[in-house]
Each structure stands twice: as structure tokens, then as C-alpha cells.
Amino acid sequence: MTDATQTPNSYVVEYTDGPLVGQTDKRILVGGEYDKTFGVIALVDGIEANFEYHATGARELNGETHVTYSFDAANSDSPVSDEDGVEPGEALV
């Protein structure tokens, strides 16, 4: 049985742009705090790369913390960015 007063230990990640736009994840709170920045290793059209994301906002929804993250193209391995005309899911050449 779960105690209703138990402190949550995870939060929902919402990717607002970049190669992971529209996807969500769950991450563990560290010291009760969400990550301000983190890297995600993911495949886009068979190419593995590290994508850096930065927190842009947080809100409570149905008792869970939801944090929005924005893509940091300058600190990512991939040449994917919103400005280069490559849409998420397109081949990188």
C-alpha cells in the first residue's frame, strides 16, 4: 500500500523541440530536484548521438511534476537543429 503523503521520487520530462519533440520520459528526482540540464543518447534514422536538453519550465499536473525541456543544438553531437531545415525523423546527410 502506498502512503498518500509519500514524497514523489520521479517527474515527467516533456521535450518541446529538437529531435525528441513531442516525446515524454520519466526521470528520477535527485535530492528532490529535477535536472536543469541533461543529455539523452538516442537513435535518429539509425544514427546514435547525444542530445543535450535544458529545463525551461515546470508545473504540477495530477499530482506529478512535469518539466519542459528545450533542445541545445550547440552542445549536442548531432547536426540536427530547428534552424538547419532538417525535420526530426529525416535522414542526416
Side-chain angles (χ1 to χ4, degrees), residues 49-91:
N50 180 54
F51 302 116
E52 292 292 320
Y53 278 85
H54 297 282
T56 58
R59 68 187 189 289
E60 291 296 317
L61 183 63
N62 297 326
E64 273 189 304
T65 301
H66 287 243
V67 183
T68 55
Y69 285 86
S70 183
F71 180 56
D72 180 358
N75 290 312
S76 295
D77 290 341
S78 174
V80 175
S81 75
D82 293 334
E83 293 82 34
D84 67 10
V86 177
E87 293 296 321
E90 286 185 346

Side-chain angles (χ1 to χ4, degrees), residues 3-86:
D3 181 0
T5 61
Q6 181 178 355
T7 303
N9 63 357
S10 65
Y11 63 99
V12 176
V13 172
E14 299 173 350
Y15 299 102
T16 60
D17 57 5
L20 302 177
V21 65
Q23 295 184 34
T24 61
D25 284 324
K26 273 221 168 178
R27 292 184 63 92
I28 302 296
L29 292 166
V30 178
E33 301 277 325
Y34 60 84
D35 295 313
K36 304 302 183 233
T37 185
F38 63 86
V40 177
I41 296 176
L43 288 176
V44 174
D45 294 328
I47 299 170
E48 185 177 273
N50 180 54
F51 302 116
E52 292 292 320
Y53 278 85
H54 297 282
T56 58
R59 68 187 189 289
E60 291 296 317
L61 183 63
N62 297 326
E64 273 189 304
T65 301
H66 287 243
V67 183
T68 55
Y69 285 86
S70 183
F71 180 56
D72 180 358
N75 290 312
S76 295
D77 290 341
S78 174
V80 175
S81 75
D82 293 334
E83 293 82 34
D84 67 10
V86 177

